Amino acid sequence: MAATTSMVTSLTFTIPSLGLRLPTRRYPCVKPQRRFVRKAASNVITATYELKAPPYPLNALEPHMSRETLEYHWGKHHRTYVENLNKQVVGTDLEGLSLEDIIIVTYNKGDILPAFNNAAQAWNHDFFWESMKPGGGGKPSGDLLDLIERDFGSFERFIEEFKSAAATQFGSGWAWLAYKANRLDVENAVNPWPSEKDKKLVIVKSPNAVNPLVWDYFPLLTIDVWEHAYYLDFQNQRRDYISVFMEKLVSWETVNTRLEKAKARAAEREMEEERRRKEEEEGKPTNDDDDLEMYVDNDNDDSEAE
Amino acid sequence: MALLRSSVTRRTLTLGLNSSRLLPLSRSLQTFSLPDLPYDYGALEPAISGEIMQLHHQKHHQTYITNYNKALEQLHEAIQKGDSSTVVKLQSAIKFNGGGHVNHSIFWKNLAPIREGGGEPPKASLGWAIDSHFGSLESLIQKMNAEGAALQGSGWVWLGVNKELKKLVIETTPNQDPLVTKGPHLVPLLGIDVWEHAYYLQYKNVRPDYLKNIWKVINWKYASEVYEKECA
């Protein structure tokens, strides 16, 4: 019982200046960004999230994805999400937070708040453009390929599973390849015996604006399966669009870079947790002044482990 | 022999459900086919283009039917085998594809070319009910347009009637959920498809324009007939 109570307490913390409560245990990733964002925010008066352009010209993905599709998809849909997000957060507690933080705060453990859709769709589209490149497709190599083969059996099996996730997402949504570090498959659970094998690649699909950040997975690759992503080029043939995406558009370079970041973040978190546990054992308080704003819970790790 | 034995077992388990009711299930399975449109593909222009209508009917609706039939067949087989986990697993495909079939079948009847009365305001009892529930037809339209525009992703916006309370309701449903998922007494009078496939080739990202224009081809006569049947 004691452990349960203490775990619940440790799930939230307060950023005093913003009056926001964020989950820490599940999202330690918000820490470094928060410091940076708050500094930046003090110099900026209005909250503005910018519409980032795709890292290639709008006709660069032809003939697989038309210029017209990108003109609407990026120029209208993505733009509208960003503009509406800016209108929504101005003057609210969310102003000045990074996009990732807004997504996690407004996901609100599944009880979605109004800004979630725009924030998540802004992030999802940024990432979707990066997930493609002119002359993409083919096969990855190195660590990435090893992990794919380890976790899906073979590259071909992975392709099949990814395509199937994208094809079977009912209605609007996304399919993802993500890196899942030390997490149990049960929400809100803490892994009592973390091991190297827990860290793996997973394929997930998500409805509407939802993305794997809300489950604390690290996204490596995404495909948009809202109809607006493919309707002008493929009409009702979602499966053809998905095949062309995998064969001609995927940027394995991006996936590689993301995988490195995912691993680095997982390692950083482990070191941090290890450090905190050690300090706990030595009976030292962990709140040094620098980090004060970031976490107020110290006793969670012990109580969970026992 | 194996089948026979298993159906006997099932009978004893289903509180004396008589065997004649099990027979049609094991003999043949009803499948569904695409209903004809009561007008030409191009007949709703300029509100909805012929190209959209054709794809929407021949491709989208047909795919829901194909996959619905497939799921029903698998369900039939699973029930015969007593394979409960497959029966449960099939529910999402049945809801999605069966819902797609149900919803589109209503949608086609909700539309009519202008020369055949499309867009003509409802009269008699439905007209009065709309005025008394929503103030006016215009405010009903405004409310449905607002809900349709605000719906995230794919789904439907409905005008329905609660046949127990005889009350009109506006509802939205996600994906292909039919109106009845919002309440067992709800009967759809009018459903507007706000999936992007319903308007994208013509209206692109501007869903509000599609919603504004679709009222020009709404078949209020059909909605009135359903209303009168439920509320007479």
Side-chain angles (χ1 to χ4, degrees), chain B residues 30-68:
Chain B
Q30 195 199 343
T31 55
F32 295 87
S33 52
L34 188 65
D36 286 336
L37 278 196
Y39 37 78
D40 290 341
Y41 290 128
L44 304 179
E45 289 186 347
I48 304 174
S49 75
E51 190 187 7
I52 288 179
M53 289 305 292
Q54 185 166 1
L55 278 166
H56 202 170
H57 180 250
Q58 282 184 352
K59 303 290 184 184
H60 290 277
H61 192 173
Q62 180 62 60
T63 304
Y64 293 120
I65 290 172
T66 305
N67 291 332
Y68 182 44

mmCIF file of all heavy atoms in Angstrom, chain B residues 30-68:
data_model
loop_
_atom_site.group_PDB
_atom_site.id
_atom_site.type_symbol
_atom_site.label_atom_id
_atom_site.label_comp_id
_atom_site.label_asym_id
_atom_site.label_seq_id
_atom_site.Cartn_x
_atom_site.Cartn_y
_atom_site.Cartn_z
ATOM 1 N N GLN B 30 -26.132 -14.922 -44.885
ATOM 2 C CA GLN B 30 -26.557 -13.818 -45.740
ATOM 3 C C GLN B 30 -25.392 -12.867 -45.961
ATOM 4 O O GLN B 30 -24.735 -12.447 -45.012
ATOM 5 C CB GLN B 30 -27.713 -13.060 -45.093
ATOM 6 C CG GLN B 30 -28.405 -12.153 -46.102
ATOM 7 C CD GLN B 30 -29.239 -11.066 -45.451
ATOM 8 O OE1 GLN B 30 -29.567 -11.142 -44.282
ATOM 9 N NE2 GLN B 30 -29.577 -10.055 -46.228
ATOM 10 N N THR B 31 -25.129 -12.560 -47.201
ATOM 11 C CA THR B 31 -24.093 -11.567 -47.463
ATOM 12 C C THR B 31 -24.753 -10.326 -48.043
ATOM 13 O O THR B 31 -25.918 -10.338 -48.410
ATOM 14 C CB THR B 31 -23.033 -12.092 -48.453
ATOM 15 O OG1 THR B 31 -23.706 -12.516 -49.634
ATOM 16 C CG2 THR B 31 -22.252 -13.235 -47.844
ATOM 17 N N PHE B 32 -23.981 -9.264 -48.122
ATOM 18 C CA PHE B 32 -24.548 -7.988 -48.543
ATOM 19 C C PHE B 32 -23.931 -7.547 -49.853
ATOM 20 O O PHE B 32 -22.792 -7.897 -50.159
ATOM 21 C CB PHE B 32 -24.311 -6.947 -47.451
ATOM 22 C CG PHE B 32 -25.045 -7.286 -46.190
ATOM 23 C CD1 PHE B 32 -24.464 -8.128 -45.235
ATOM 24 C CD2 PHE B 32 -26.331 -6.828 -45.969
ATOM 25 C CE1 PHE B 32 -25.150 -8.483 -44.087
ATOM 26 C CE2 PHE B 32 -27.028 -7.178 -44.817
ATOM 27 C CZ PHE B 32 -26.435 -8.005 -43.877
ATOM 28 N N SER B 33 -24.699 -6.797 -50.621
ATOM 29 C CA SER B 33 -24.115 -6.261 -51.848
ATOM 30 C C SER B 33 -24.438 -4.778 -51.968
ATOM 31 O O SER B 33 -25.324 -4.260 -51.290
ATOM 32 C CB SER B 33 -24.602 -7.040 -53.061
ATOM 33 O OG SER B 33 -26.005 -7.107 -53.032
ATOM 34 N N LEU B 34 -23.692 -4.136 -52.836
ATOM 35 C CA LEU B 34 -23.756 -2.684 -52.951
ATOM 36 C C LEU B 34 -25.129 -2.246 -53.459
ATOM 37 O O LEU B 34 -25.556 -2.654 -54.534
ATOM 38 C CB LEU B 34 -22.656 -2.225 -53.929
ATOM 39 C CG LEU B 34 -22.426 -0.724 -54.059
ATOM 40 C CD1 LEU B 34 -21.914 -0.134 -52.757
ATOM 41 C CD2 LEU B 34 -21.440 -0.435 -55.198
ATOM 42 N N PRO B 35 -25.828 -1.393 -52.689
ATOM 43 C CA PRO B 35 -27.119 -0.901 -53.175
ATOM 44 C C PRO B 35 -26.914 0.109 -54.305
ATOM 45 O O PRO B 35 -25.912 0.819 -54.330
ATOM 46 C CB PRO B 35 -27.720 -0.207 -51.942
ATOM 47 C CG PRO B 35 -26.555 0.167 -51.089
ATOM 48 C CD PRO B 35 -25.466 -0.831 -51.380
ATOM 49 N N ASP B 36 -27.856 0.154 -55.235
ATOM 50 C CA ASP B 36 -27.758 1.152 -56.310
ATOM 51 C C ASP B 36 -27.998 2.541 -55.748
ATOM 52 O O ASP B 36 -28.746 2.708 -54.798
ATOM 53 C CB ASP B 36 -28.830 0.876 -57.371
ATOM 54 C CG ASP B 36 -28.463 -0.335 -58.217
ATOM 55 O OD1 ASP B 36 -27.251 -0.651 -58.290
ATOM 56 O OD2 ASP B 36 -29.388 -0.968 -58.776
ATOM 57 N N LEU B 37 -27.370 3.525 -56.390
ATOM 58 C CA LEU B 37 -27.689 4.917 -56.044
ATOM 59 C C LEU B 37 -29.017 5.275 -56.698
ATOM 60 O O LEU B 37 -29.249 4.907 -57.856
ATOM 61 C CB LEU B 37 -26.623 5.860 -56.598
ATOM 62 C CG LEU B 37 -25.326 6.071 -55.849
ATOM 63 C CD1 LEU B 37 -24.648 7.316 -56.402
ATOM 64 C CD2 LEU B 37 -25.553 6.208 -54.368
ATOM 65 N N PRO B 38 -29.872 6.015 -55.977
ATOM 66 C CA PRO B 38 -31.159 6.394 -56.583
ATOM 67 C C PRO B 38 -31.040 7.576 -57.557
ATOM 68 O O PRO B 38 -32.041 8.193 -57.879
ATOM 69 C CB PRO B 38 -32.018 6.742 -55.354
ATOM 70 C CG PRO B 38 -31.068 7.021 -54.251
ATOM 71 C CD PRO B 38 -29.776 6.338 -54.561
ATOM 72 N N TYR B 39 -29.837 7.908 -58.001
ATOM 73 C CA TYR B 39 -29.611 9.010 -58.953
ATOM 74 C C TYR B 39 -28.261 8.781 -59.611
ATOM 75 O O TYR B 39 -27.474 7.931 -59.144
ATOM 76 C CB TYR B 39 -29.636 10.370 -58.236
ATOM 77 C CG TYR B 39 -29.001 10.325 -56.867
ATOM 78 C CD1 TYR B 39 -27.617 10.333 -56.719
ATOM 79 C CD2 TYR B 39 -29.776 10.200 -55.712
ATOM 80 C CE1 TYR B 39 -27.029 10.232 -55.478
ATOM 81 C CE2 TYR B 39 -29.197 10.094 -54.462
ATOM 82 C CZ TYR B 39 -27.822 10.118 -54.358
ATOM 83 O OH TYR B 39 -27.248 9.990 -53.116
ATOM 84 N N ASP B 40 -27.973 9.539 -60.676
ATOM 85 C CA ASP B 40 -26.687 9.384 -61.361
ATOM 86 C C ASP B 40 -25.547 9.980 -60.529
ATOM 87 O O ASP B 40 -25.778 10.875 -59.725
ATOM 88 C CB ASP B 40 -26.715 10.106 -62.716
ATOM 89 C CG ASP B 40 -27.624 9.387 -63.699
ATOM 90 O OD1 ASP B 40 -27.916 8.193 -63.463
ATOM 91 O OD2 ASP B 40 -28.044 10.041 -64.679
ATOM 92 N N TYR B 41 -24.324 9.498 -60.810
ATOM 93 C CA TYR B 41 -23.173 10.029 -60.073
ATOM 94 C C TYR B 41 -23.062 11.541 -60.203
ATOM 95 O O TYR B 41 -22.733 12.235 -59.256
ATOM 96 C CB TYR B 41 -21.873 9.358 -60.543
ATOM 97 C CG TYR B 41 -21.775 7.909 -60.119
ATOM 98 C CD1 TYR B 41 -21.500 6.893 -61.045
ATOM 99 C CD2 TYR B 41 -21.951 7.558 -58.782
ATOM 100 C CE1 TYR B 41 -21.403 5.566 -60.641
ATOM 101 C CE2 TYR B 41 -21.860 6.231 -58.381
ATOM 102 C CZ TYR B 41 -21.586 5.241 -59.315
ATOM 103 O OH TYR B 41 -21.501 3.940 -58.903
ATOM 104 N N GLY B 42 -23.343 12.047 -61.403
ATOM 105 C CA GLY B 42 -23.161 13.490 -61.618
ATOM 106 C C GLY B 42 -24.358 14.334 -61.211
ATOM 107 O O GLY B 42 -24.309 15.567 -61.315
ATOM 108 N N ALA B 43 -25.401 13.694 -60.687
ATOM 109 C CA ALA B 43 -26.667 14.421 -60.484
ATOM 110 C C ALA B 43 -26.642 15.393 -59.316
ATOM 111 O O ALA B 43 -27.546 16.206 -59.171
ATOM 112 C CB ALA B 43 -27.806 13.419 -60.293
ATOM 113 N N LEU B 44 -25.610 15.293 -58.474
ATOM 114 C CA LEU B 44 -25.560 16.200 -57.324
ATOM 115 C C LEU B 44 -24.645 17.395 -57.575
ATOM 116 O O LEU B 44 -24.427 18.224 -56.698
ATOM 117 C CB LEU B 44 -25.100 15.449 -56.075
ATOM 118 C CG LEU B 44 -25.917 14.210 -55.694
ATOM 119 C CD1 LEU B 44 -25.337 13.541 -54.456
ATOM 120 C CD2 LEU B 44 -27.379 14.567 -55.456
ATOM 121 N N GLU B 45 -24.097 17.475 -58.776
ATOM 122 C CA GLU B 45 -23.216 18.604 -59.104
ATOM 123 C C GLU B 45 -24.028 19.887 -59.150
ATOM 124 O O GLU B 45 -25.205 19.841 -59.518
ATOM 125 C CB GLU B 45 -22.518 18.346 -60.440
ATOM 126 C CG GLU B 45 -21.481 17.248 -60.312
ATOM 127 C CD GLU B 45 -20.638 17.039 -61.581
ATOM 128 O OE1 GLU B 45 -21.000 17.573 -62.638
ATOM 129 O OE2 GLU B 45 -19.640 16.336 -61.474
ATOM 130 N N PRO B 46 -23.478 21.037 -58.800
ATOM 131 C CA PRO B 46 -22.074 21.231 -58.405
ATOM 132 C C PRO B 46 -21.790 21.006 -56.917
ATOM 133 O O PRO B 46 -20.643 21.147 -56.498
ATOM 134 C CB PRO B 46 -21.835 22.708 -58.754
ATOM 135 C CG PRO B 46 -23.169 23.360 -58.517
ATOM 136 C CD PRO B 46 -24.206 22.315 -58.848
ATOM 137 N N ALA B 47 -22.793 20.669 -56.118
ATOM 138 C CA ALA B 47 -22.533 20.519 -54.679
ATOM 139 C C ALA B 47 -21.517 19.406 -54.408
ATOM 140 O O ALA B 47 -20.580 19.573 -53.632
ATOM 141 C CB ALA B 47 -23.829 20.248 -53.922
ATOM 142 N N ILE B 48 -21.716 18.244 -55.060
ATOM 143 C CA ILE B 48 -20.764 17.141 -54.927
ATOM 144 C C ILE B 48 -20.461 16.599 -56.313
ATOM 145 O O ILE B 48 -21.376 16.242 -57.068
ATOM 146 C CB ILE B 48 -21.332 16.000 -54.052
ATOM 147 C CG1 ILE B 48 -21.757 16.529 -52.672
ATOM 148 C CG2 ILE B 48 -20.300 14.886 -53.875
ATOM 149 C CD1 ILE B 48 -22.448 15.490 -51.800
ATOM 150 N N SER B 49 -19.191 16.521 -56.647
ATOM 151 C CA SER B 49 -18.811 16.157 -58.013
ATOM 152 C C SER B 49 -19.118 14.691 -58.306
ATOM 153 O O SER B 49 -19.136 13.844 -57.411
ATOM 154 C CB SER B 49 -17.315 16.430 -58.226
ATOM 155 O OG SER B 49 -16.541 15.443 -57.580
ATOM 156 N N GLY B 50 -19.317 14.416 -59.587
ATOM 157 C CA GLY B 50 -19.569 13.051 -60.021
ATOM 158 C C GLY B 50 -18.412 12.128 -59.706
ATOM 159 O O GLY B 50 -18.597 10.955 -59.353
ATOM 160 N N GLU B 51 -17.198 12.643 -59.798
ATOM 161 C CA GLU B 51 -16.013 11.824 -59.524
ATOM 162 C C GLU B 51 -16.022 11.360 -58.061
ATOM 163 O O GLU B 51 -15.744 10.193 -57.760
ATOM 164 C CB GLU B 51 -14.749 12.641 -59.814
ATOM 165 C CG GLU B 51 -13.494 11.800 -59.800
ATOM 166 C CD GLU B 51 -12.218 12.639 -59.910
ATOM 167 O OE1 GLU B 51 -12.303 13.890 -59.855
ATOM 168 O OE2 GLU B 51 -11.139 12.036 -60.030
ATOM 169 N N ILE B 52 -16.344 12.288 -57.173
ATOM 170 C CA ILE B 52 -16.420 11.927 -55.747
ATOM 171 C C ILE B 52 -17.501 10.875 -55.531
ATOM 172 O O ILE B 52 -17.266 9.854 -54.870
ATOM 173 C CB ILE B 52 -16.722 13.170 -54.871
ATOM 174 C CG1 ILE B 52 -15.495 14.068 -54.803
ATOM 175 C CG2 ILE B 52 -17.162 12.748 -53.466
ATOM 176 C CD1 ILE B 52 -15.688 15.327 -53.992
ATOM 177 N N MET B 53 -18.669 11.105 -56.113
ATOM 178 C CA MET B 53 -19.777 10.174 -55.888
ATOM 179 C C MET B 53 -19.436 8.774 -56.381
ATOM 180 O O MET B 53 -19.743 7.773 -55.746
ATOM 181 C CB MET B 53 -21.050 10.690 -56.583
ATOM 182 C CG MET B 53 -21.671 11.911 -55.917
ATOM 183 S SD MET B 53 -22.052 11.674 -54.156
ATOM 184 C CE MET B 53 -23.373 10.476 -54.265
ATOM 185 N N GLN B 54 -18.777 8.733 -57.535
ATOM 186 C CA GLN B 54 -18.452 7.429 -58.096
ATOM 187 C C GLN B 54 -17.447 6.660 -57.236
ATOM 188 O O GLN B 54 -17.643 5.487 -56.940
ATOM 189 C CB GLN B 54 -17.917 7.599 -59.520
ATOM 190 C CG GLN B 54 -17.682 6.262 -60.188
ATOM 191 C CD GLN B 54 -17.469 6.379 -61.685
ATOM 192 O OE1 GLN B 54 -17.488 7.496 -62.238
ATOM 193 N NE2 GLN B 54 -17.266 5.256 -62.349
ATOM 194 N N LEU B 55 -16.361 7.349 -56.846
ATOM 195 C CA LEU B 55 -15.370 6.687 -55.980
ATOM 196 C C LEU B 55 -15.991 6.302 -54.638
ATOM 197 O O LEU B 55 -15.745 5.219 -54.105
ATOM 198 C CB LEU B 55 -14.200 7.645 -55.713
ATOM 199 C CG LEU B 55 -13.127 7.746 -56.779
ATOM 200 C CD1 LEU B 55 -12.258 8.974 -56.523
ATOM 201 C CD2 LEU B 55 -12.247 6.485 -56.770
ATOM 202 N N HIS B 56 -16.783 7.222 -54.118
ATOM 203 C CA HIS B 56 -17.353 7.024 -52.799
ATOM 204 C C HIS B 56 -18.276 5.786 -52.796
ATOM 205 O O HIS B 56 -18.218 4.955 -51.891
ATOM 206 C CB HIS B 56 -18.140 8.287 -52.404
ATOM 207 C CG HIS B 56 -18.334 8.448 -50.929
ATOM 208 N ND1 HIS B 56 -18.829 9.597 -50.363
ATOM 209 C CD2 HIS B 56 -18.109 7.600 -49.894
ATOM 210 C CE1 HIS B 56 -18.896 9.442 -49.046
ATOM 211 N NE2 HIS B 56 -18.468 8.248 -48.734
ATOM 212 N N HIS B 57 -19.068 5.672 -53.836
ATOM 213 C CA HIS B 57 -20.012 4.568 -53.939
ATOM 214 C C HIS B 57 -19.324 3.276 -54.386
ATOM 215 O O HIS B 57 -19.345 2.260 -53.690
ATOM 216 C CB HIS B 57 -21.131 4.973 -54.913
ATOM 217 C CG HIS B 57 -22.180 3.921 -55.108
ATOM 218 N ND1 HIS B 57 -22.318 3.230 -56.292
ATOM 219 C CD2 HIS B 57 -23.135 3.439 -54.284
ATOM 220 C CE1 HIS B 57 -23.326 2.374 -56.180
ATOM 221 N NE2 HIS B 57 -23.846 2.483 -54.976
ATOM 222 N N GLN B 58 -18.653 3.355 -55.534
ATOM 223 C CA GLN B 58 -18.098 2.122 -56.125
ATOM 224 C C GLN B 58 -16.880 1.565 -55.397
ATOM 225 O O GLN B 58 -16.642 0.361 -55.416
ATOM 226 C CB GLN B 58 -17.687 2.372 -57.575
ATOM 227 C CG GLN B 58 -18.850 2.381 -58.534
ATOM 228 C CD GLN B 58 -18.380 2.537 -59.965
ATOM 229 O OE1 GLN B 58 -17.199 2.790 -60.235
ATOM 230 N NE2 GLN B 58 -19.301 2.407 -60.903
ATOM 231 N N LYS B 59 -16.082 2.466 -54.811
ATOM 232 C CA LYS B 59 -14.857 1.993 -54.160
ATOM 233 C C LYS B 59 -15.020 1.923 -52.647
ATOM 234 O O LYS B 59 -14.855 0.867 -52.056
ATOM 235 C CB LYS B 59 -13.672 2.896 -54.518
ATOM 236 C CG LYS B 59 -13.408 3.025 -56.003
ATOM 237 C CD LYS B 59 -12.864 1.743 -56.579
ATOM 238 C CE LYS B 59 -12.522 1.926 -58.052
ATOM 239 N NZ LYS B 59 -12.069 0.689 -58.675
ATOM 240 N N HIS B 60 -15.323 3.059 -52.038
ATOM 241 C CA HIS B 60 -15.353 3.058 -50.572
ATOM 242 C C HIS B 60 -16.479 2.173 -50.026
ATOM 243 O O HIS B 60 -16.240 1.274 -49.225
ATOM 244 C CB HIS B 60 -15.475 4.488 -50.036
ATOM 245 C CG HIS B 60 -14.239 5.302 -50.252
ATOM 246 N ND1 HIS B 60 -13.147 5.249 -49.410
ATOM 247 C CD2 HIS B 60 -13.904 6.165 -51.244
ATOM 248 C CE1 HIS B 60 -12.199 6.063 -49.865
ATOM 249 N NE2 HIS B 60 -12.632 6.623 -50.980
ATOM 250 N N HIS B 61 -17.705 2.450 -50.461
ATOM 251 C CA HIS B 61 -18.815 1.661 -49.934
ATOM 252 C C HIS B 61 -18.626 0.178 -50.273
ATOM 253 O O HIS B 61 -18.825 -0.698 -49.438
ATOM 254 C CB HIS B 61 -20.153 2.196 -50.477
ATOM 255 C CG HIS B 61 -21.353 1.617 -49.771
ATOM 256 N ND1 HIS B 61 -22.634 2.049 -49.998
ATOM 257 C CD2 HIS B 61 -21.469 0.622 -48.848
ATOM 258 C CE1 HIS B 61 -23.484 1.352 -49.234
ATOM 259 N NE2 HIS B 61 -22.799 0.489 -48.544
ATOM 260 N N GLN B 62 -18.198 -0.095 -51.492
ATOM 261 C CA GLN B 62 -17.971 -1.491 -51.893
ATOM 262 C C GLN B 62 -16.946 -2.177 -50.991
ATOM 263 O O GLN B 62 -17.103 -3.341 -50.624
ATOM 264 C CB GLN B 62 -17.517 -1.552 -53.358
ATOM 265 C CG GLN B 62 -17.258 -2.971 -53.855
ATOM 266 C CD GLN B 62 -18.513 -3.848 -53.812
ATOM 267 O OE1 GLN B 62 -19.516 -3.536 -54.450
ATOM 268 N NE2 GLN B 62 -18.470 -4.929 -53.031
ATOM 269 N N THR B 63 -15.880 -1.451 -50.624
ATOM 270 C CA THR B 63 -14.850 -2.051 -49.767
ATOM 271 C C THR B 63 -15.399 -2.374 -48.379
ATOM 272 O O THR B 63 -15.078 -3.424 -47.810
ATOM 273 C CB THR B 63 -13.635 -1.109 -49.659
ATOM 274 O OG1 THR B 63 -13.175 -0.823 -50.982
ATOM 275 C CG2 THR B 63 -12.498 -1.753 -48.870
ATOM 276 N N TYR B 64 -16.221 -1.481 -47.853
ATOM 277 C CA TYR B 64 -16.843 -1.797 -46.556
ATOM 278 C C TYR B 64 -17.678 -3.080 -46.664
ATOM 279 O O TYR B 64 -17.618 -3.947 -45.790
ATOM 280 C CB TYR B 64 -17.735 -0.644 -46.071
ATOM 281 C CG TYR B 64 -16.958 0.610 -45.716
ATOM 282 C CD1 TYR B 64 -17.191 1.818 -46.368
ATOM 283 C CD2 TYR B 64 -15.978 0.589 -44.717
ATOM 284 C CE1 TYR B 64 -16.468 2.965 -46.048
ATOM 285 C CE2 TYR B 64 -15.257 1.722 -44.390
ATOM 286 C CZ TYR B 64 -15.500 2.918 -45.064
ATOM 287 O OH TYR B 64 -14.791 4.029 -44.748
ATOM 288 N N ILE B 65 -18.428 -3.182 -47.732
ATOM 289 C CA ILE B 65 -19.277 -4.366 -47.912
ATOM 290 C C ILE B 65 -18.431 -5.629 -48.052
ATOM 291 O O ILE B 65 -18.683 -6.641 -47.405
ATOM 292 C CB ILE B 65 -20.208 -4.169 -49.128
ATOM 293 C CG1 ILE B 65 -21.259 -3.102 -48.797
ATOM 294 C CG2 ILE B 65 -20.882 -5.483 -49.520
ATOM 295 C CD1 ILE B 65 -22.109 -2.670 -49.975
ATOM 296 N N THR B 66 -17.400 -5.553 -48.889
ATOM 297 C CA THR B 66 -16.527 -6.712 -49.083
ATOM 298 C C THR B 66 -15.932 -7.173 -47.749
ATOM 299 O O THR B 66 -15.952 -8.366 -47.419
ATOM 300 C CB THR B 66 -15.377 -6.353 -50.051
ATOM 301 O OG1 THR B 66 -15.959 -5.846 -51.253
ATOM 302 C CG2 THR B 66 -14.499 -7.551 -50.360
ATOM 303 N N ASN B 67 -15.423 -6.210 -46.991
ATOM 304 C CA ASN B 67 -14.775 -6.582 -45.735
ATOM 305 C C ASN B 67 -15.782 -6.986 -44.653
ATOM 306 O O ASN B 67 -15.468 -7.791 -43.779
ATOM 307 C CB ASN B 67 -13.881 -5.442 -45.238
ATOM 308 C CG ASN B 67 -12.668 -5.262 -46.140
ATOM 309 O OD1 ASN B 67 -12.208 -6.210 -46.778
ATOM 310 N ND2 ASN B 67 -12.157 -4.045 -46.223
ATOM 311 N N TYR B 68 -16.960 -6.422 -44.736
ATOM 312 C CA TYR B 68 -18.038 -6.813 -43.816
ATOM 313 C C TYR B 68 -18.424 -8.274 -44.083
ATOM 314 O O TYR B 68 -18.498 -9.093 -43.166
ATOM 315 C CB TYR B 68 -19.229 -5.886 -44.016
ATOM 316 C CG TYR B 68 -20.415 -6.122 -43.092
ATOM 317 C CD1 TYR B 68 -20.249 -6.353 -41.728
ATOM 318 C CD2 TYR B 68 -21.723 -6.073 -43.597
ATOM 319 C CE1 TYR B 68 -21.340 -6.536 -40.892
ATOM 320 C CE2 TYR B 68 -22.820 -6.253 -42.772
ATOM 321 C CZ TYR B 68 -22.623 -6.494 -41.417
ATOM 322 O OH TYR B 68 -23.708 -6.675 -40.596
#
